[in-house]
Amino acid sequence: MTALLEIEDLEVVFDGFRAIDHLSFQLDEGELRFLIGPNGAGKTTLIDVVTGLTRPAGGSVRFEGTELVGRREHEIVRRGVGRTFQTATVFEQLTVQENVDLAATFRMPYRSLLRRARRPAGGVMQALATVELEGVADRPAAVLSHGQRQWLELAMLLVQQPRLLLLDEPVAGMTKQERSRTGELLGQIAKERTVLVVEHDMDFLRRFASTVTVMHEGKILCEGPLAEVQANPMVQEVYLGRSERGTPALVGAVAVPQDPPGSGDAAVTGGAQAAGAR
């Protein structure tokens, strides 16, 4: 496997608090990797650094061998890195198709935007078909369900043709049926792209995760197949603590407590990122 994303000795410090502590991490091309950890472990901060939202105190982030630290957000988007946030941000007054069309324009030169005909940019309907929203393409985004909004945001990323997708709690707040559809969709997308998913829902992980990385206190605690990670005593202790007898509780016994939707860093996404890139 070829490393698509390489992070080495990364440090992030907020007012003396070390959010990322000399972390090294590698994501190979074509992987579907799940990133888990208790609240405050540094998961969202790690994504913020990769996407240029947060500048580290030290270390390196290389994508396809190119250093990303110091680059602006829109430059990183143009290099092929896309992300979602814990709360989907779409343009409610626009139709579903118009949202994806707007996101697609981020690769167009300014003159092409002025000249382009009033028809969807290339790939818009394909992206909608991938997330199964083509049937509501002409409806306002405001009427979509919570799960559909998350899928619309994902379509807004897919139309930009990213090589790496960073998804922050994509199933938070979804119904059981929506979570199942999202898991299937991630597997489908990972056949053509590399995907890193930050998630808390252990039931969702057990169904759809194969390789898992666990963060704790800004460091990588362990990583590997899900079954091995669940059996790791350190992971069990970090999530649930030890019983009175000192025996680690099983991580799989309960679902990991989930952050409320929108509790992470808020920022515009998808089409908003694209709009800022033009």
Side-chain angles (χ1 to χ4, degrees):
M1 300 290 286
T2 302
L4 184 68
L5 179 69
E6 297 176 280
I7 298 173
E8 185 176 353
D9 202 27
L10 192 67
E11 295 181 86
V12 176
V13 181
F14 297 124
D15 296 326
F17 171 72
R18 194 171 294 276
I20 301 291
D21 188 5
H22 297 282
L23 179 147
S24 294
F25 173 79
Q26 179 173 304
L27 189 63
D28 291 335
E29 181 133 24
E31 272 198 87
L32 171 57
R33 179 82 66 89
F34 282 76
L35 180 63
I36 68 174
N39 294 337
K43 305 180 298 296
T44 297
T45 300
L46 179 62
I47 292 180
D48 287 345
V49 172
V50 174
T51 55
L53 191 62
T54 295
R55 182 167 295 227
S60 171
V61 178
R62 293 186 299 275
F63 176 68
E64 294 185 296
T66 298
E67 182 61 58
L68 297 185
V69 173
R71 295 183 182 275
R72 292 179 290 180
E73 292 174 68
H74 73 266
E75 294 177 316
I76 295 173
V77 171
R78 287 184 177 276
R79 286 191 170 272
V81 179
R83 75 168 290 178
T84 63
F85 293 82
Q86 292 177 10
T87 300
T89 302
V90 300
F91 299 101
E92 294 188 348
Q93 73 277 18
L94 299 181
T95 68
V96 170
Q97 179 175 307
E98 287 170 341
N99 268 275
V100 181
D101 188 37
L102 177 62
T105 62
F106 92 107
R107 289 189 182 278
M108 292 185 178
Y110 182 68
R111 291 181 181 179
S112 297
L113 286 173
L114 294 177
R115 295 195 306 265
R116 83 184 184 104
R118 296 182 62 83
R119 64 175 184 273
V124 170
M125 297 312 296
Q126 180 180 352
L128 287 174
T130 298
V131 300
E132 298 184 354
L133 290 180
E134 70 271 37
V136 295
D138 295 328
R139 299 183 67 182
V143 306
L144 298 181
S145 69
H146 172 73
Q148 288 175 321
R149 284 176 179 240
Q150 298 285 0
W151 298 335
L152 173 56
E153 185 180 44
L154 190 53
M156 293 165 71
L157 288 183
L158 292 176
V159 78
Q160 298 174 17
Q161 297 297 319
R163 293 191 61 195
L164 171 63
L165 273 69
L166 308 172
L167 310 181
D168 199 351
E169 298 190 35
V171 300
M174 286 188 177
T175 65
K176 182 177 181 180
Q177 184 177 3
E178 289 172 338
R179 291 197 300 271
S180 294
R181 171 56 192 146
T182 300
E184 295 167 357
L185 182 58
L186 294 180
Q188 179 182 347
I189 292 172
K191 293 178 181 179
E192 299 180 354
R193 295 176 174 85
T194 304
V195 184
L196 178 66
V197 183
V198 172
E199 194 48 72
H200 281 296
D201 190 320
M202 292 303 295
D203 288 334
F204 183 75
L205 262 71
R206 282 193 290 271
R207 288 190 61 189
F208 299 105
S210 54
T211 305
V212 177
T213 296
V214 184
M215 284 188 65
H216 179 53
E217 296 182 347
K219 301 178 181 180
I220 300 298
L221 183 64
C222 72
E223 55 188 359
L226 178 60
E228 292 182 9
V229 168
Q230 284 185 290
N232 188 305
M234 292 187 298
V235 175
Q236 295 173 349
E237 183 172 6
V238 162
Y239 270 110
L240 299 177
R242 293 179 179 272
S243 68
E244 293 181 359
R245 295 182 179 181
T247 302
L250 293 176
V251 172
V254 299
V256 175
Q258 183 170 323
D259 292 331
S263 63
D265 296 313
V268 294
T269 180
Q273 267 189 325
R278 293 199 298 273

